[in-house]
Amino acid sequence: MAGSKDQARMAAQAFTAADDEEYWEESSVTSSKKNLFDDEEEGFTVLGVSENKAARLSSALRSTAPDLFADDDNDDITWETSSNISNSSSHGSITSAEYRSARYTPPTNRSGSLSTSSSRSTAATVTLGGSQDNSLSVQFSKPKITRSEPMSLEDAIIDVPAKQVTATEVSKLETEIQFLRRQVQLGERARWTSLPVKETIKRIILGQPYSLEAYKSLEDKLALLDAAIKMHDGDAITIAVLFLKKTVRKNIFQQELIKRPVAINHLIHFLWCHYDLDDLEEIYRILGRMEDVFVLKYKQALAPSKAAGRAQSIAAVVRSFQHDSSLAPDSTLLLDQCTLLQRQIQIEEEDKKIAASGKHPVFREHPPKAHLPLTPLTTTLYYCSFYHYNESDSSLSSPLSIKRDFQISDKQYTWSTLNALAKLHRWKEIEALLTSKNWFGGTKMKACIGFEKVVDILSKQKAPVDILSKYLPYIEDPNERLALAAKLKCHRTVVDTLIQLKDRTALEDYRLKTPDYSLERQYVITALNNSQIKWKN
Amino acid sequence: MAVSAVLGPKLPDLQYLKRLARDQLVHLLESLPGRKDLVIDPDLMTPLDRIAGASLLKQHGVDKIFKLERTKIHGGCDQLVYLVRSKLTTTKLIADQITADIRDARKRKYKIIMTPRRLQVCDMVLEHEGVFGLVSIEELHLDLIPLDRDLLSMELPQFFRDYFLHGDQTWLASIAKSLVNIQSLFGPIPNIYGQGRCAKMVADMVDMMMSELGERQSPIGCEIGHLFLIDRDVDYVTPLCTQVTYEGLLDDIFGIKSGSVEFGPDVTGTDKSIKIMLSGEDEVFRAIRDRHFSNVFGFLSAKAKELQTSYDKRHNLKSVQDMKQFVSEELSNLKKQHKALTLHIGACETITKNKSRGDFEEQMRTEHGLLEGVDVRECINFIEESINRQHSRTEVLRLLCMLSSTQGGLPSKDYKSLKTQFLQSYGTEHLLTLHNLKKLGLFVEQQAPDATANKLTDKMAAKLTDGMASLQLQLQLPKKSQFRAVSRKLNLIPKSAENFELRNPNDMAYVFSGAYAPLSCKLIEQVLQREGWTGVEDIAKLLPGDNFVHLKAKSAKGKASGSNPDSDKIVLVYFLGGCSYTEVSALRFLGKQKGYRFLVATTALVNGGRLIESVSGWK
């Protein structure tokens, strides 16, 4: 008891601490649609919840009861792997007798239509006009089952008071028996004469025995298929299509199939699942669905797991579709993929030699972790920017030659190279990358991805403040620039931006945030004393 | 038991479905006497947990449990029971294992239990592989699994791919069967509404199956008044949006599997993970699940204080008697709540951390821009940047699909550029995925007049048969700005966007921070209100597939003896192809607003990520 008292006291403390936060009382939800996520000063807030506060409360709660999760009772299924088998204790089938008495009839064995029909009749007498459907017999017992107690089906059934059988019910049962007798006879005959197609499809849907042998004429076969389509069951449609396929000549089959799109879908799906890819291709070709043929062939071409083999098989696909103009755009993509694969193989071979020689500093400090072949183009571009940035653009592994040969967008190129160079802390090269020359030989800073992103990448790679300060002033939106500069403690940019915004009050506030007697403090004071600036406040 | 605070009409008890399935499973196991090993389809692992635990299986003679894999099963006893989804590929796998046993001269008895139904094509595969004579095949009618008091799921995520991508209708009968089961338990549903091609087919099949069962001798009262069937392709936009309700976020970030979620060490604050069942029975969770995330934390902290006060009571206990009462009655309940609270606060913490990383804010701005149709160029730039930076592939695809679905396809130039850049960043292999998304109409190019050339043959073929419906499927390519038009007509974008009330919402759009109300749920609201499609024809016209309605005459409805008087207020909504937790929340909200109680049934619970992943063509 003493222990839990302590716990409670701790909890109490934790909660009083929490009380100090006004947060608990006040609604933090000021959610206007555009501004869901108020950026609070002391931490990030998502959807109105502050991270710090969540953490605090959560740890407070945890500390109050460390054993909170100890008493979990698990009834999960544990899996045995097929290789390692420990013999677990067997409980045997002690309860088998109990469950034998369950009232519903066991699902009937499909040995033939006769036995099914007869078992059906016995079930019917018990459940009053029931069928093979198990759920029906349960209806009677339902009111007895109480909400809270998980009673088994069988318990509930025993409790049902015996039902009084009235004369009308007896006569009803008799009619039922008559009906079922007729059904049995019908079933016997049905074995040898063809049932109406609709009945056969119904039997397939309801999981009753059926036979298709009797449908010999083409009309019957087609009627069967159409009935299946009309009754919507995919299983029946597939069975009917495959029956047609098996029993008539190929060209008749194809001719009839083309008229029935739903049947086509089912056949195609069956062939996919069954890996009958040659048949599948043929069907697509007959239907003129060349794009599907193309995709199928491409999928098959991707089977080789080695880059060289894959490049070869993809090249074969491209060759076989070179005359199909409607597929030209996708063929081009595949051709690029081949070229890339071959190039990756070559680059990797070269790089292995370079790495082995141990001369290249980057390879020494950052040996490649994964294989280059089979990676996407963007990844390859990053790789080449990382290891081969300064190579001339005639080299296969130069990022510039890759940009040119694969028509990579400027933005993509900037993202990949900038990331690679920042990771290597190569600030000079970054500056060169972002400097563009104009016609008159002058230079200008330019970043197609926006300087806020540039600063973001650099700051994530822990670039020094003076490097960041180079790019911060180029951020167009002054408010965004201000926020970012303040976060990264680039004081000069903050001051310049506040001057641009003519916000004297903010600048005066900011003065206190700069270190005493620093250059930045001096800079602020100079600005504040500048009479030329027309402050807005 | 504070649970009995019933909100409006009482819901039928869905636990019957679970009991039925469990008893049938037990029966099937007992029908093979003696010890046996069980091989389970990986797809069924989590759903089965909802029905039967390991101890129940062991009680009924199951010795070892294996996962169905490509590898051979060594050891084990001489009886093997396979419990699998009825699929061709799975059946082939089983046939291969049996063949391997034969080669090893190993004698075993085999039983295959197929769920939700035995398929003739699977029989055919077994016949084809020459093992048909060695197995006995049974079916387990495990269709709708109750995940909560108002939530049912078939847990059949592949339905989306099979039907909407491949046009395969095999699962339809099982969906229809699940509705027949519901009606035989809770009485016939008098009013049925539907939107979509699949919805219509399912309704037809239900009719066929019901008439096959024959007239009922003793009609039981009806407990559910309305059924709404809706195809997923009616509204792709909603599940593609990032979720911001608490339960939606749990699903997006931790992944909810068959109603339970696993919290890792970062949430539990210990070194182990905890798996908990998310349900309305948990008082704390019930209070927060449907809330906008910004409105969750305040509640949890207030609750924490309240809990503390209750704990403190024990200092004022005067007598041993009082003490005894406190320990026996209140303490365990307090501990339970304490545990729940700790976990939910931990989860909030992880969610907050997760969303404060990166450019979540910009992403939300992009999504809202797309929904509203403003600053689309900026949205495209953001997506392009995500591609350039190789952000999560699924996330990027989700945004691309959202872009295309809200804008009615992309102009040729944008489509080509985004496609090329996407393949450059993630690998050309994903052409296969893009092909699938194009087929689904999720990521498409706006149609140039002559671009339909190779569709023509199919279209002509379709005309030749009665396949009017399939003709529609071909023509389903979104027209320009279809979403925009529907959105305007259904008022999906709230006008008073500023100062949207998220704490005590009076608009369904709160589920998406006041930026958008789910199309699917708004459509349901309109149709229920009008008891049919009259008055909303111009909206329905813009949606894929046909709509229909079957209403039972009012007088007949009143006469049904033993009917629950509340039944008219109970609405079962069945999503064909999946629904998101946000949609469930939106419907609960609609229920509170209009006095309905909604039961939600679905083929699977989806979110944007899972929807996209399920149709990917390359891993």
Side-chain angles (χ1 to χ4, degrees):
Chain A
M1 218 42 209
S4 81
K5 210 173 203 168
D6 279 343
Q7 278 174 19
R9 203 174 303 131
M10 272 164 67
Q13 278 164 3
F15 286 125
T16 3
D19 271 347
D20 296 340
E21 300 280 349
E22 283 193 339
Y23 177 84
W24 305 123
E25 316 301 332
E26 266 175 27
S27 150
S28 71
V29 194
T30 48
S31 36
S32 80
K33 179 164 141 195
K34 299 285 150 90
N35 185 17
L36 266 175
F37 315 100
D38 296 10
D39 224 343
E40 281 177 29
E41 250 188 286
E42 42 144 308
F44 204 84
T45 326
V46 170
L47 296 163
V49 179
S50 142
E51 210 178 310
N52 302 348
K53 286 163 189 166
R56 221 171 298 151
L57 183 55
S58 135
S59 62
L61 269 175
R62 274 178 204 138
S63 64
T64 50
D67 61 335
L68 209 52
F69 308 115
D71 53 352
D72 265 62
D73 47 340
N74 273 323
D75 190 20
D76 290 343
I77 296 177
T78 46
W79 306 98
E80 308 214 14
T81 53
S82 20
S83 48
N84 171 27
I85 293 155
S86 62
N87 219 339
S88 58
S89 69
S90 88
H91 293 265
S93 52
I94 350 147
T95 45
S96 75
E98 279 168 48
Y99 275 89
R100 290 282 168 62
S101 66
R103 168 121 163 256
Y104 50 72
T105 52
T108 47
N109 202 335
R110 290 149 204 253
S111 48
S113 55
L114 252 170
S115 73
T116 310
S117 307
S118 58
S119 86
R120 190 179 171 193
S121 71
T122 41
T125 42
V126 185
T127 58
L128 285 177
S131 72
Q132 288 172 301
D133 194 85
N134 296 336
S135 53
L136 265 178
S137 58
V138 180
Q139 285 158 21
F140 299 100
S141 61
K142 205 188 97 194
K144 281 281 160 187
I145 302 178
T146 51
R147 215 168 233 276
S148 56
E149 228 178 310
M151 244 199 238
S152 82
L153 193 61
E154 167 211 11
D155 293 339
I157 290 166
I158 291 162
D159 285 342
V160 177
K163 208 167 160 65
Q164 291 295 320
V165 182
T166 63
T168 44
E169 270 168 334
V170 169
S171 70
K172 261 183 199 164
L173 288 182
E174 272 166 4
T175 6
E176 184 81 28
I177 291 168
Q178 287 297 321
F179 169 75
L180 290 166
R181 276 206 186 113
R182 276 201 303 279
Q183 290 291 95
V184 173
Q185 284 166 357
L186 210 70
E188 266 174 77
R189 254 181 280 141
R191 186 73 184 82
W192 310 112
T193 58
S194 59
L195 216 57
V197 285
K198 213 178 147 194
E199 287 306 310
T200 300
I201 299 298
K202 230 184 245 178
R203 298 192 136 253
I204 297 179
I205 298 176
L206 300 174
Q208 294 161 358
Y210 68 94
S211 158
L212 302 181
E213 300 163 31
Y215 302 108
K216 299 265 187 207
S217 72
L218 179 62
E219 290 72 27
D220 277 355
K221 292 176 204 289
L222 293 177
L224 184 76
L225 178 56
D226 288 334
I229 294 172
K230 207 162 175 197
M231 292 168 83
H232 313 310
D233 179 41
D235 193 27
I237 297 170
T238 311
I239 290 291
V241 172
L242 293 175
F243 175 64
L244 185 69
K245 184 168 181 262
K246 203 166 62 188
T247 54
V248 300
R249 207 149 44 98
K250 204 174 191 176
N251 63 347
I252 301 178
F253 171 66
Q254 289 169 350
Q255 203 179 319
E256 295 299 333
L257 187 70
I258 285 176
K259 298 178 197 162
R260 295 167 176 82
V262 175
I264 293 171
N265 286 343
H266 284 84
L267 179 64
I268 288 174
H269 194 216
F270 176 83
L271 295 175
W272 262 118
C273 295
H274 219 244
Y275 297 103
D276 286 336
L277 301 184
D278 295 338
D279 275 11
L280 188 60
E281 188 184 333
E282 193 182 350
I283 299 281
Y284 280 145
R285 285 189 188 275
I286 291 162
L287 295 169
R289 285 161 62 166
M290 289 318 284
E291 191 179 341
D292 287 313
V293 180
F294 178 77
V295 169
L296 173 64
K297 284 299 189 192
Y298 179 51
K299 194 171 177 146
Q300 287 174 282
L302 292 175
S305 58
K306 289 254 164 58
R310 197 179 278 185
Q312 262 176 15
S313 54
I314 295 171
V317 176
V318 176
R319 268 198 305 280
S320 63
F321 286 90
Q322 59 189 347
H323 300 299
D324 196 327
S325 65
S326 69
L327 294 168
D330 284 353
S331 288
T332 318
L333 291 168
L334 264 53
L335 200 61
D336 280 350
Q337 192 186 9
C338 285
T339 324
L340 178 64
L341 282 170
Q342 282 153 358
R343 198 151 171 170
Q344 286 170 335
I345 297 169
Q346 282 173 308
I347 295 174
E348 193 173 59
E349 240 166 64
E350 283 299 308
D351 286 0
K352 264 188 198 144
K353 286 181 211 153
I354 300 174
S357 76
K359 280 178 196 149
H360 201 297
V362 184
F363 277 101
R364 220 171 33 236
E365 283 157 34
H366 310 271
K369 285 191 200 90
H371 284 295
L372 180 64
L374 299 175
T375 57
L377 180 60
T378 302
T379 314
T380 309
L381 177 62
Y382 177 84
Y383 175 93
C384 290
S385 308
F386 200 86
Y387 292 107
H388 303 281
Y389 185 69
N390 282 325
E391 283 170 24
S392 79
D393 62 1
S394 60
S395 151
L396 273 183
S397 49
S398 126
L400 272 174
S401 74
I402 289 180
K403 176 180 191 288
R404 183 193 58 216
D405 296 346
F406 293 96
Q407 286 148 32
I408 291 171
S409 72
D410 288 341
K411 278 188 187 171
Q412 178 68 74
Y413 181 78
T414 312
W415 278 111
S416 303
T417 45
L418 195 60
N419 265 316
L421 294 174
K423 180 115 195 163
L424 292 168
H425 289 199
R426 286 160 79 162
W427 316 125
K428 282 217 176 84
E429 270 114 337
I430 290 176
E431 194 172 345
L433 176 74
L434 298 173
T435 311
S436 67
K437 289 198 176 70
N438 65 18
W439 288 0
F440 307 106
T443 56
K444 203 185 148 209
M445 295 304 266
K446 211 182 130 199
C448 56
I449 59 172
F451 278 99
E452 66 279 5
K453 307 285 181 193
V454 173
V455 171
D456 185 50
I457 292 174
L458 296 182
S459 67
K460 278 199 181 116
Q461 296 300 337
K462 310 213 161 36
V465 172
D466 62 311
I467 298 287
L468 293 174
S469 306
K470 265 188 200 156
Y471 305 108
L472 270 168
Y474 295 100
I475 297 174
E476 253 173 64
D477 178 3
N479 291 314
E480 196 174 342
R481 190 195 317 144
L482 188 64
L484 207 52
K487 196 175 130 199
L488 298 171
K489 299 201 164 45
C490 294
H491 302 298
R492 202 167 273 257
T493 315
V494 175
V495 176
D496 286 341
T497 310
L498 287 173
I499 295 171
Q500 187 197 344
L501 291 170
K502 302 192 171 35
D503 192 342
R504 191 184 171 91
T505 325
L507 191 58
E508 270 166 3
D509 290 347
Y510 195 77
R511 185 172 58 167
L512 304 173
K513 287 188 190 158
T514 52
D516 291 337
Y517 310 111
S518 64
L519 281 172
E520 285 86 2
R521 173 69 62 86
Q522 206 52 49
Y523 193 65
V524 176
I525 293 168
T526 321
L528 285 171
N529 293 336
N530 189 338
S531 56
Q532 310 238 298
I533 303 168
K534 292 196 179 75
W535 301 104
K536 71 172 180 189
N537 48 18
Chain B
M1 270 256 148
V3 182
S4 56
V6 183
L7 303 139
K10 205 164 144 273
L11 286 173
D13 187 357
L14 302 176
Q15 293 305 312
Y16 292 120
L17 291 166
K18 186 170 152 180
R19 253 168 254 156
L20 280 176
R22 185 171 49 204
D23 289 354
Q24 205 201 349
L25 176 64
V26 165
H27 176 81
L28 288 170
L29 290 175
E30 290 294 341
S31 67
L32 194 67
R35 270 186 346 140
K36 56 240 162 196
D37 293 331
L38 187 66
V39 186
I40 303 184
D41 193 335
D43 290 356
L44 283 172
M45 279 162 50
T46 30
L48 197 68
D49 263 342
R50 299 301 295 221
I51 302 301
S55 55
L56 183 94
L57 297 176
K58 300 256 167 187
Q59 267 171 36
H60 297 284
V62 172
D63 194 11
K64 294 188 200 69
I65 301 169
F66 298 96
K67 194 154 106 181
L68 181 64
E69 285 167 320
R70 215 149 262 298
T71 50
K72 205 152 62 154
I73 292 171
H74 296 284
C77 64
D78 58 354
Q79 300 198 92
L80 210 51
V81 178
Y82 288 94
L83 178 55
V84 293
R85 283 256 181 259
S86 35
K87 283 194 297 193
L88 283 175
T89 40
T90 319
T91 315
K92 176 74 169 63
L93 208 59
I94 296 174
D96 289 347
Q97 291 191 347
I98 296 176
T99 315
D101 275 358
I102 297 172
R103 245 199 324 272
D104 299 354
R106 217 198 140 98
K107 282 225 164 68
R108 275 201 255 229
K109 257 180 143 176
Y110 305 97
K111 186 198 272 287
I112 303 176
I113 304 175
M114 296 207 174
T115 186
R117 78 190 261 232
R118 177 183 184 167
L119 289 181
Q120 299 304 329
V121 283
C122 292
D123 281 18
M124 222 183 61
V125 169
L126 292 172
E127 187 183 341
H128 195 78
E129 300 288 328
V131 296
F132 190 82
L134 298 172
V135 299
S136 68
I137 307 166
E138 306 278 6
E139 57 183 17
L140 171 66
H141 302 132
L142 182 62
D143 36 52
L144 283 173
I145 300 170
L147 296 183
D148 211 329
R149 284 184 291 181
D150 59 353
L151 184 59
L152 294 159
S153 168
M154 297 259 287
E155 295 297 89
L156 199 65
Q158 71 254 42
F159 171 74
F160 180 70
R161 187 185 175 102
D162 286 351
Y163 175 75
F164 289 97
L165 184 60
H166 299 299
D168 185 289
Q169 296 166 198
T170 302
W171 303 112
L172 263 54
S174 299
I175 297 173
K177 184 77 192 295
S178 73
L179 278 166
V180 172
N181 284 347
I182 291 267
Q183 297 190 67
S184 52
L185 274 177
F186 305 116
I189 302 173
N191 306 308
I192 301 176
Y193 318 87
Q195 173 70 49
R197 206 169 93 78
C198 185
K200 181 77 183 85
M201 291 194 281
V202 167
D204 286 352
M205 292 185 97
V206 172
D207 279 352
M208 189 275 280
M209 289 178 180
M210 293 294 271
S211 67
E212 202 63 14
L213 285 177
E215 280 301 306
R216 211 158 256 113
Q217 302 280 336
S218 51
I220 44 168
C222 82
E223 293 190 50
I224 300 169
H226 308 266
L227 167 65
F228 200 113
L229 289 159
I230 182 167
D231 284 17
R232 187 68 271 176
D233 63 354
V234 170
D235 174 15
Y236 278 140
V237 174
T238 304
L240 288 174
C241 297
T242 294
Q243 308 192 72
V244 286
T245 57
Y246 182 61
E247 198 168 10
L249 277 163
L250 285 185
D251 193 23
D252 277 1
I253 289 171
F254 302 98
I256 300 177
K257 285 185 193 137
S258 295
S260 45
V261 66
E262 191 169 344
F263 290 131
D266 52 334
V267 172
T268 58
T270 61
D271 52 2
K272 56 178 186 173
S273 297
I274 291 182
K275 202 167 155 191
I276 61 161
M277 207 102 104
L278 295 170
S279 92
E281 308 295 334
D282 170 356
E283 207 181 310
V284 175
F285 183 61
R286 190 173 70 241
I288 54 174
R289 66 189 322 181
D290 299 321
R291 293 181 183 220
H292 186 266
F293 188 65
S294 63
N295 193 15
V296 171
F297 206 64
F299 174 85
L300 289 179
S301 62
K303 191 81 195 165
K305 267 193 274 176
E306 196 181 293
L307 203 62
Q308 188 55 47
T309 327
S310 308
Y311 267 128
D312 286 346
K313 244 199 251 169
R314 111 198 105 117
H315 297 300
N316 306 328
L317 298 176
K318 294 280 185 315
S319 63
V320 177
Q321 192 65 38
D322 288 349
M323 182 80 89
K324 196 174 153 199
Q325 197 182 344
F326 178 81
V327 172
S328 66
E329 285 168 24
E330 286 182 49
L331 202 59
S332 75
N333 186 31
L334 285 178
K335 271 197 102 172
K336 218 163 82 189
Q337 284 199 37
H338 190 163
K339 178 182 163 182
L341 208 55
T342 312
L343 283 177
H344 289 303
I345 289 172
C348 278
E349 201 185 346
T350 304
I351 291 169
T352 316
K353 252 187 226 150
N354 195 302
K355 295 297 184 193
S356 56
R357 224 179 281 142
D359 34 22
F360 180 66
E361 204 179 320
E362 211 175 334
Q363 186 191 319
M364 292 311 283
R365 207 161 43 228
T366 302
E367 288 188 17
H368 293 174
L370 291 176
L371 291 166
E372 233 181 301
V374 297
D375 304 330
V376 176
R377 183 48 51 190
E378 256 170 61
C379 298
I380 293 179
N381 285 341
F382 175 76
I383 299 174
E384 209 172 64
E385 190 186 309
S386 304
I387 295 174
N388 289 163
R389 300 172 79 172
Q390 292 182 299
H391 284 172
S392 144
R393 187 182 72 230
T394 309
E395 277 294 289
V396 165
L397 279 174
R398 190 179 63 75
L399 286 173
L400 283 173
C401 291
M402 210 174 150
L403 170 71
S404 169
S405 307
T406 49
Q407 311 309 308
L410 291 174
S412 218
K413 195 166 151 270
D414 290 331
Y415 177 79
K416 291 208 174 89
S417 139
L418 286 168
K419 177 175 168 181
T420 310
Q421 295 190 62
F422 178 81
L423 297 177
Q424 286 180 347
S425 273
Y426 302 95
T428 315
E429 298 85 0
H430 290 284
L431 194 65
L432 298 171
T433 302
L434 294 187
H435 176 75
N436 287 348
L437 294 174
K438 182 174 158 191
K439 266 188 159 174
L440 283 162
L442 273 172
F443 182 59
V444 292
E445 188 176 349
Q446 276 162 16
Q447 286 297 303
D450 59 343
T452 46
N454 69 6
K455 293 250 174 226
L456 269 178
T457 42
D458 281 14
K459 263 190 226 166
M460 268 151 35
K463 262 182 208 155
L464 293 171
T465 61
D466 63 333
M468 275 309 285
S470 37
L471 183 66
Q472 261 165 356
L473 198 71
Q474 300 289 339
L475 293 174
Q476 213 184 80
L477 298 159
K479 289 165 228 127
K480 167 102 175 122
S481 290
Q482 217 171 44
F483 173 79
R484 189 102 312 111
V486 178
S487 160
R488 213 169 22 246
K489 291 195 159 118
L490 282 171
N491 283 324
L492 300 182
I493 315 286
K495 287 193 184 68
S496 55
E498 304 303 315
N499 302 320
F500 190 91
E501 179 61 71
L502 291 176
R503 299 214 95 187
N504 300 300
N506 49 18
D507 186 327
M508 195 198 278
Y510 90 90
V511 295
F512 287 118
S513 312
Y516 163 72
L519 192 160
S520 51
C521 305
K522 275 281 179 186
L523 183 72
I524 292 164
E525 176 186 350
Q526 291 299 317
V527 174
L528 282 179
Q529 200 174 319
R530 293 177 162 78
E531 296 201 325
W533 296 89
T534 345
V536 284
E537 297 95 340
D538 54 331
I539 296 167
K541 206 169 59 199
L542 296 166
L543 301 171
D546 284 333
N547 58 65
F548 60 90
V549 57
H550 304 300
L551 299 175
K552 291 270 156 63
K554 281 247 154 76
S555 56
K557 209 164 47 186
K559 252 191 288 175
S561 59
S563 266
N564 181 346
D566 284 341
S567 73
D568 196 39
K569 288 289 172 198
I570 307 282
V571 186
L572 173 63
V573 177
Y574 207 138
F575 286 90
L576 306 169
C579 87
S580 67
Y581 278 102
T582 300
E583 282 167 312
V584 179
S585 291
L587 287 176
R588 286 189 190 124
F589 173 80
L590 181 64
K592 265 184 226 152
Q593 214 181 16
K594 309 270 176 184
Y596 289 114
R597 275 313 287 280
F598 283 96
L599 280 173
V600 179
T602 174
T603 49
L605 281 142
V606 295
N607 58 20
R610 282 203 295 277
L611 198 70
I612 298 289
E613 284 294 327
S614 75
V615 291
S616 88
W618 185 257
K619 296 291 161 220

